[in-house]
């Protein structure tokens, strides 16, 4: 994701010069992989057999197949912020920045709460919110594309509660959606629904921490 996309094209499609990375020709069409943006983080792995494929995601939890116990183990293996662990692809498969914002909003939990300090009832809340949010969006996006190959794929979706909605009203309480900015990313949350009204403001934290102001969520987790 980020800037990588798959497209379905006519067989023997010409690979576009700047964005094109590879095309896979099939009798009934070509699967074209493109990457826009300057960072070029896409990678392709060639493996043979299921066992070889499994080595690529060893230890990563397939979230929709996970039990509450498996989820709890993965979540609390290290004491990190919820935002950081939910978006870590070496812990959970396929959540990412947008859906982690939506999951935390549905769970009514702060993105900066620490995993090992979460009481069991809140871990259950987070597990349920993860399953419900991802299933909700799977169903919605499948309906939207109705068997067609999905084009114009984006992480921002109409109908999201907080992600990409800074300053817009929370659909549940009407409070303006907040943000925490770090590196080239941002986290959106509702202070009323998720942090008992407390603002996780960049400015007050930076005043408190001065030159120790964390530049990334990773640094914030390590404080
Ligand atoms: Zn709210």
């Amino acid at each position: 994701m980020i800037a990588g996309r798959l497209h379905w094209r006519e067989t023997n499609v010409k690979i576009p010069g700047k964005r094109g990375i590879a095309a896979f020709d099939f009798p009934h069409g070509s699967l074209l992989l493109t990457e826009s943006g300057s960072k070029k983080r896409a990678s392709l792995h060639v493996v043979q057999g299921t066992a070889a494929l499994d080595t690529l995601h060893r230890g990563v939890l397939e979230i929709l197949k996970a039990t509450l116990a498996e989820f709890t183990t993965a979540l609390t293996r290290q004491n990190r912020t919820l935002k950081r662990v939910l978006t870590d692809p070496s812990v959970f498969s396929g959540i990412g920045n947008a859906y982690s914002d939506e999951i935390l909003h549905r769970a009514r939990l702060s993105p900066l709460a620490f995993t090992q300090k979460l009481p069991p009832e809140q871990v259950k809340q987070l597990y349920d919110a993860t399953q419900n949010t991802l299933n909700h969006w799977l169903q919605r996006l499948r309906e939207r594309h109705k068997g067609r190959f999905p084009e114009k794929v984006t992480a921002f979706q109409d109908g999201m509660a907080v992600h990409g909605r800074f300053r817009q009203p929370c659909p549940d309480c009407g409070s303006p959606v907040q943000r925490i900015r770090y590196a080239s990313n941002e986290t959106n949350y509702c202070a009323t629904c998720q942090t008992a009204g407390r603002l996780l403001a960049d400015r007050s934290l930076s005043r408190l921490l001065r030159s120790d102001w964390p530049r990334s969520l990773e640094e914030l987790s390590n404080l």
Side-chain angles (χ1 to χ4, degrees), residues 105 170 173 190 193:
H105 180 259
C170 164
C173 74
C190 170
C193 292

Side-chain angles (χ1 to χ4, degrees), residues 70-179:
E70 290 166 334
F71 177 81
T72 308
T73 306
L75 185 79
T76 57
R77 198 169 288 138
Q78 289 179 282
N79 194 27
R80 303 199 293 179
T81 62
L82 294 183
K83 178 69 186 183
R84 171 116 194 276
V85 77
L86 286 177
T87 52
D88 186 342
S90 69
V91 179
F92 295 118
S93 176
I95 295 183
N97 193 36
Y99 295 108
S100 65
D101 281 354
E102 295 300 294
I103 288 166
L104 288 165
H105 180 259
R106 193 182 284 235
R108 300 294 190 247
L109 292 171
S110 165
L112 300 187
F114 279 86
T115 54
Q116 291 179 355
K117 290 193 178 139
L118 225 54
E121 64 271 20
Q122 290 188 351
V123 174
K124 171 81 165 69
Q125 230 167 285
L126 184 64
Y127 172 77
D128 289 342
T130 303
Q131 300 288 326
N132 292 336
T133 302
L134 295 179
N135 279 316
H136 167 80
W137 282 103
L138 267 177
Q139 198 183 336
R140 235 181 120 149
L141 294 172
R142 277 176 185 157
E143 278 164 13
R144 187 177 300 169
H145 297 294
K146 285 203 187 79
R148 291 188 311 267
F149 197 90
E151 292 287 348
K152 296 197 170 67
V153 174
T154 167
F156 297 93
Q157 302 292 345
D158 275 349
M160 281 190 159
V162 287
H163 183 71
R165 302 190 68 246
F166 177 54
R167 291 202 179 115
Q168 294 178 55
C170 164
D172 295 341
C173 74
S175 306
V177 168
Q178 303 296 323
R179 72 176 174 196

Side-chain angles (χ1 to χ4, degrees), residues 8-54:
W8 189 247
R9 296 286 186 262
E10 299 281 300
T11 310
N12 297 323
V13 65
K14 190 173 175 290
I15 301 173
K18 219 172 167 207
R19 297 176 307 123
I21 293 175
F24 306 89
D25 294 328
F26 297 91
H28 54 299
S30 287
L31 188 66
L32 175 67
L33 174 63
T34 62
E35 188 182 18
S36 47
S38 54
K39 286 197 176 153
K40 302 294 178 198
R41 282 175 289 195
S43 61
L44 286 170
H45 302 263
V46 179
V47 295
Q48 190 168 18
T50 319
L53 186 62
D54 286 344

